[in-house]
Structure formats: structure tokens, C-alpha cells
Amino acid sequence: MISRAIVHVIFSALLALTIILQTSTTSDAQTVIATIGVGANPQGVAVNPNTNRIYVANHDNNNVSVIDGNTNSVITTIGVDVGPQGVAVNPTTNRIYVANNGSGDVSVIDGNTNSVFTTLSVGGHPFNVAVNSSTNRIYAAINDPNSVAVIDGASNTVVATLPNVGGGIAEVAANPTSNRVYVGNPKANTVAVVQDQPAPPPPPPPPAVSTWFFAEGATQPPFDTWFLIENPTGQTASVTFTFFLQPTGTVVQNYAVGPTSRFSLFANQALPNQAFSTRIDSNVAVFAERAMYVSYDGDVVTGIPATNKTWLFAEGATTPPFHTWLLLQNPNNVPATTTITYLLESGQTPTQSLTLPPDSRTSIFVNQVLPNAAFSSRVDSNQPIIAERAMYRFPGNAATVNSGVNAPSQDWFFSEGRTSFRGLRADTFLLLENTNTSQVNATITLFATDGRTTTFNATLAPTSRQTIFLNRFFSGSFGIWVNATAPIIAERSVFFGNEPLLGAYSTQGATSLITSWHFAEGETRAPFNELITILNPHGQSMDVEIDFFLETRQVVPAFFKISANSKLEVDVGKIVTGANSANVSTSLPSVAERTMYIFKQGSIGAHDTIGFPGS
């Protein structure tokens, strides 16, 4: 009779994995619903119930098959060391541990990236491995000599060895409630019971060198959310994600990002079916972005480096076909009293008040608060918070998201703007918010890729928002400089394609020109086409170096020259293949953006952002 509890199967010389389904709650009848081809001599199987991924150790191929439990298919194969025998999963950290009997070590696999994170020597010949998820300890049963290696999953180090636990060790299991470890000894016909003592709590981590906030995030259908980390330093980064759930609650997860590399976290696997905000802390200087995808389109923002009591947005619309949301993150342990002021095109300023719970994320559907309006907005809070604005255009789900800015400026720069893309019409809009109680005049200059420029003026009424359709003034691809007589807010939006399925991207501008810009996100494989644009608004030519950081830790440089008063477009797919981060360095102060076009579901979407200011 087959138990309805946990079934542990040791495979010997089998080349396929058989899935058995319990078909009745009143009998022991079982049904084989699938047989999945894996590698040679599968010896161990483990399941992560949080991600519905199954891991099979293929002893004779020195690899691990990863099976998607939804489709019952092998989605990838991960190479490990010699003779993988046993496998275990920590569902809390999404780490997979493989006992390599032939090479005397344990491979640690990161379930988010499906890659070996590190390999730990344990001595002898480990036969099997078990995980205590409550203490994040891993136990490797070694049958020569007869011992159990104890691994700390936080530091990925062997912290103890339990000797003399029996004869001919084969199996090991851990009880996370009692912290007891059970070791099977087939030669002695016994089971050794070990009362393990959890390691003392580690010392508090050093203060974070990098901290990034994101107010928006969703893994509920139909959204896919990714976090992209660039580590440009020469040392491994310990990165902590703190997710603030809606309406309240937090989840903490830790990851390592190798030196001079880029790391991707698919939040739908790490935190399924949630709406959330995020705080990312790192012990070395890293850059972080968040990308979200819905239907054929997507949006992206760079991480926000600090909380603030004031957030400003130039764009917003609840007129058909637009939906606008404000996303507010309160990372404090006390409530935040918040007021939102909407600045209409007419100069009126209606307000909305609310209280944000501690350690929370709050979503405001502005269409219900201020229907059928075009507006800018100002968010003020008695506690420092984080704010983003999301907009969707229906039908088609064209999506844009911008983080707010904390203060107006007299100058705003954009390196991207256009009136066409690959034969499709593109409409570029400049959104200007005048928070002043007096009129402001603005001069807008557009820079073509061949050095041509066009300049025109705009007058902004007090406490108002204005939309400028730039196609009226220019044709082609161009960069933008907005110079105002008093501080204002500026954003730029682009809509392109054929009705009704338009793609869209937007960003807030840069308030100054500098010589270094960073991008954590980047991808050139299908369905993406990555473009980096750089604006040189000076009367002389400018040299450019772009260093691309790959997931393999390879750094690929590229060099360019931009003519005076010109915009440069770099097709990244002609330089590198795959996921990448990028650092842009220029001989004169500049501004840089990255646009990623998405060819998906028979349509074209996109997302875009100004880079991180570098040093």
C-alpha cells in the first residue's frame, strides 16, 4: 500500500520520472499521469511547493533536471559536480542542495536563476542531503567516513561535522519543528537521532551601502514583475529584498550578486500573487531597476534612493482611454498622514487625504477620485514615503510607470523622442507642471541625430499642467532640453504603433547633465530590441564609452563619438547578446536613456528610463 504522506523514492538506473496522482480520498488508487524524460540514472528528487518546480539529480550525467510542475516538462538542465546523488530544497530561500557523491561536495543552486551559486566541499562521499527550513541548515550524509556535514544556508559554509553517527550512512532527514536530524544506517540496521543546536544569531549586518525603493510591484495576474541588479564592483554583493505587502505585512529574501555582473529576480516566483512595494539593501554599491509586463507592453523604473515627504508628477489622465494609479509605499513603523493635490489644466487644485498604514503599500485608482481629467499631482506626507504613478491605455493595456521627483527644476533633459519607429507612427508628448502661483515661460530645444536643432517657447499658467505635442515642431528622432524661467516639473511620453494596440513609454527628465550614467536592465534576445540614446547639447563633439556587464561577469566595452548638438542611438544587440547592464561614460556632460522595444503577441510594446546618475 502506498502512503498518502511523503513518498521518498531512490531511483537506480532509471531514465525517466513518473508522476503519480492520488485519484480518490477513500482508497489507495493511484494513476500515472505523466512520464518525463530526464537524464541518465536519476538518483534523487525534491520539490519546491512555492514555485512548483521539481529537481532531479542525474547521477551519470552530472547534472540536475528542472521540471515545471504546471506543464510536466523539463525547462532546463543545470550542470553540477561528479555523481549527483541526493537533492533537497529550501522553499523559503529557493535554494537547492545537491550531494555530489563522486566529487565530495554539495552544489548550491539558486532557484531564481537556475544556476549554481556556489559549491561546498564536505569531504568523503555525500550520499544524500536534507534541509531544515526553520533554521536554514542543510545536512549532508557522508558514507565514507560515516558523518554528517552541517551547512549554514545563510553564509554557505560548513559550520560543523557530526561524526560517528552509525555505519554505512545512506539517508538523512530533518524535522524543522524539533531541530532533530535522523540518519539511516543500513549496515547497522539503525537510525541515529541527533539533536542539533541552531547556530547563534549572526551579528547585525553592516549598514547598507546601497538602498533602493520601489512603490509599485505586482505578481497577481496579468502582471509579471522583475528586479534587475547591476553590480559594477569587484566583490560579491549581499542583497536583501524587503517586500511591503498590500495592505500590510513584510517578506524578506536574501540573494548574492557576483562581481561585475548583472542579476535578475523574477518576483512572480519569489513572491507569487501579491501587490507590494520593495526596499533593496546591498552591502556594496549596486544599481536596481524594476520592470513590469502586462499583455504585449511593459514599464520600468530605476530605484529611488531615499524616502521623502514630497513627490511631484507632471503627467496624469483619467479621460478615456486612460486609467491612472498612484502607488504609495510607507516603509516606516508608524502611520503616514498623506495629502494629494491635483493640478488641473484649468488651474484648479482639488485635494485628497488618506492615512498610510505602517510598513505598507497603498494603491489609489485616480479615475474614481478625479474622473475625466488631465492633471499633474503633488503628494505630501508627514512621514517620508515613496510614490510612483502608473498609467494604462485601453484597449491594449499600453502601460507606463514613473517615479515621482522631489523638487522642481529650471532645466530638464531627455535624450529620447521620436515621430516614427520602424515605419510606425510615434507621437511624443512633453508634460509640464507649474507648481508656482505665478506664470512661467519655458524654452524647449529639440536636437536631431544629424546636428539640426529646433527651438520654441511655451507659457505655463500658475498651478497648472500643460501638454505639448512635439510632433508639431519636429520630424524624426531627437533629444529634448526644457529651460524655464522658474522651477517646474517635466516628463515625456511616447505612444507608437497602430490603433487600438499602441505601445507606450515615458520617463521623468534629468535635471542636470553629467558624465556618467548607469543602467541595471538590458536584454537583446527576443522579444526585446534594446536601444541606448545619448544627448550631446554642446557646441562641440563628445566621446562616449559604454561598458556592458553580462550575467557571465564578462565586461564588453564599446566606443562612439557624438557630433555637436546631436543625439546618438546605440543598437545594443549589435554589440552584446542577452541580458546586460550598462555604464555610459562621456567626455562632456550628457544625458542617457535606455529604451527596450518588446515584440510580443503580434504587437510592439516598450519601456524606457533615464539612467542612474553615476560617478
Side-chain angles (χ1 to χ4, degrees):
M1 183 176 293
I2 300 176
S3 168
R4 293 193 185 101
I6 300 174
V7 180
H8 182 73
V9 183
I10 301 297
F11 290 89
S12 60
L14 296 178
L15 300 182
L17 180 68
T18 299
I19 297 178
I20 299 174
L21 175 67
Q22 179 79 46
T23 59
S24 172
T25 59
T26 59
S27 72
D28 290 328
Q30 313 285 332
T31 301
V32 174
I33 62 170
T35 299
I36 305 167
V38 289
N41 197 3
Q43 288 284 307
V45 180
V47 174
N48 187 338
N50 292 343
T51 62
N52 200 13
R53 294 282 171 86
I54 300 91
Y55 301 88
V56 183
N58 302 310
H59 181 276
D60 294 355
N61 292 134
N62 300 329
N63 59 31
V64 172
S65 296
V66 183
I67 296 171
D68 184 342
N70 296 307
T71 62
N72 292 330
S73 60
V74 175
I75 58 174
T76 191
T77 301
I78 305 168
V80 292
D81 263 4
V82 181
Q85 189 103 11
V87 60
V89 173
N90 187 339
T92 303
T93 62
N94 200 13
R95 290 279 167 85
I96 300 90
Y97 300 88
V98 183
N100 301 307
N101 186 266
S103 51
D105 52 37
V106 172
S107 295
V108 184
I109 295 174
D110 185 337
N112 298 294
T113 62
N114 288 324
S115 62
V116 174
F117 170 70
T118 189
T119 300
L120 308 174
S121 176
V122 294
H125 298 283
F127 187 88
N128 213 331
V129 64
V131 170
N132 183 340
S133 57
S134 68
T135 62
N136 197 12
R137 280 196 163 192
I138 300 89
Y139 306 91
I142 304 169
N143 58 11
D144 183 16
N146 299 320
S147 60
V148 174
V150 183
I151 298 169
D152 175 30
S155 61
N156 290 304
T157 56
V158 177
V159 295
T161 299
L162 309 178
N164 304 319
V165 288
I169 292 175
E171 297 293 331
V172 61
N175 186 333
T177 302
S178 64
N179 289 333
R180 287 181 177 175
V181 183
Y182 299 87
V183 185
N185 304 302
K187 291 184 179 179
N189 297 324
T190 62
V191 172
V193 182
V194 179
Q195 182 67 59
D196 190 24
Q197 300 299 320
V209 173
S210 288
T211 296
W212 302 105
F213 293 92
F214 300 89
E216 167 68 307
T219 56
Q220 300 163 325
F223 294 100
D224 287 341
T225 296
W226 292 80
F227 289 94
L228 305 314
I229 308 292
E230 176 199 355
N231 178 9
T233 75
Q235 62 186 103
T236 297
S238 297
V239 180
T240 298
F241 286 74
T242 302
F243 298 105
F244 297 80
L245 307 184
Q246 182 173 302
T248 59
T250 58
V251 174
V252 178
Q253 297 180 5
N254 297 291
Y255 300 91
V257 181
T260 60
S261 71
R262 123 81 180 259
F263 168 81
S264 305
L265 174 65
F266 185 31
N268 290 55
Q269 290 182 355
L271 192 72
N273 201 35
Q274 296 284 347
F276 56 90
S277 296
T278 308
R279 172 178 173 145
I280 297 176
D281 295 290
S282 172
N283 66 332
V284 302
V286 301
F287 298 93
E289 295 184 38
R290 185 209 65 238
M292 295 180 63
Y293 300 93
V294 56
S295 183
Y296 63 87
D297 207 6
D299 56 66
V300 71
V301 294
T302 55
I304 301 169
T307 56
N308 203 285
K309 293 184 177 181
T310 299
W311 295 93
L312 299 158
F313 300 91
E315 168 69 305
T318 57
T319 52
F322 293 104
H323 287 182
T324 296
W325 295 77
L326 288 174
L327 301 314
L328 307 179
Q329 175 186 9
N330 178 14
N332 306 287
N333 59 7
V334 296
T337 302
T338 304
T339 300
I340 304 170
T341 303
Y342 299 100
L343 286 70
L344 307 186
E345 291 178 317
S346 64
Q348 294 176 297
T349 56
T351 62
Q352 175 188 5
S353 297
L354 66 159
T355 299
L356 311 182
D359 297 324
S360 70
R361 124 85 180 251
T362 300
S363 302
I364 301 168
F365 185 31
V366 184
N367 290 55
Q368 294 179 344
V369 179
L370 190 71
N372 202 34
F375 56 89
S376 297
S377 55
R378 177 188 177 108
V379 179
D380 293 292
S381 179
N382 70 332
Q383 300 291 333
I385 63 172
I386 299 292
E388 294 183 37
R389 183 211 63 241
M391 292 183 64
Y392 301 94
R393 185 186 189 275
F394 295 98
N397 286 346
T400 63
V401 172
N402 280 8
S403 54
V405 299
N406 304 129
S409 172
Q410 286 187 255
D411 290 292
W412 295 91
F413 299 91
F414 306 84
S415 61
E416 168 64 0
R418 63 184 59 247
T419 59
S420 65
F421 173 72
R422 292 194 174 181
L424 298 174
R425 176 185 172 90
D427 292 336
T428 300
F429 296 90
L430 190 62
L431 301 314
L432 304 178
E433 174 186 7
N434 179 14
T435 60
N436 303 282
T437 57
S438 58
Q439 176 180 294
V440 173
N441 298 318
T443 300
I444 296 100
T445 304
L446 308 180
F447 300 83
T449 56
D450 59 5
R452 291 178 296 120
T453 62
T454 294
T455 300
F456 61 94
N457 298 313
T459 300
L460 311 181
T463 60
S464 70
R465 115 86 179 258
Q466 185 172 145
T467 303
I468 301 174
F469 183 37
L470 296 184
N471 294 48
R472 293 171 45 209
F473 302 94
F474 210 80
S475 178
S477 177
F478 53 87
I480 307 164
W481 175 21
V482 179
N483 175 253
T485 55
I488 61 172
I489 307 295
E491 298 181 28
R492 186 226 57 240
S493 295
V494 178
F495 293 87
F496 62 96
N498 297 317
E499 290 281 8
L501 303 180
L502 295 184
Y505 54 91
S506 72
T507 186
Q508 71 280 10
T511 58
S512 61
L513 301 171
I514 59 174
T515 58
S516 178
W517 297 93
H518 295 267
F519 298 96
E521 165 67 310
E523 175 64 77
T524 62
R525 292 169 296 195
F528 297 103
N529 182 184
E530 179 183 354
L531 193 71
I532 291 178
T533 57
I534 305 165
L535 174 63
N536 174 16
H538 305 286
Q540 57 183 304
S541 63
M542 182 169 70
D543 295 321
V544 177
E545 177 179 349
I546 306 179
D547 293 319
F548 295 97
F549 295 80
L550 309 185
E551 290 180 318
T552 60
R553 301 183 184 178
Q554 181 184 5
V555 181
V556 179
F559 302 91
F560 308 90
K561 185 179 287 290
I562 311 178
S563 301
N565 298 316
S566 295
K567 165 188 176 178
L568 173 70
E569 296 185 350
V570 178
D571 186 346
V572 179
K574 294 181 178 179
I575 303 169
V576 297
T577 300
N580 64 87
S581 297
N583 290 354
V584 177
S585 301
T586 57
S587 59
L588 296 173
S590 65
V591 62
E593 291 185 48
R594 185 209 60 242
T595 307
M596 291 174 60
Y597 293 95
I598 311 162
F599 296 82
K600 185 179 175 184
Q601 298 181 8
S603 298
I604 306 178
H607 58 61
D608 171 276
T609 185
I610 293 281
F612 291 95
S615 59

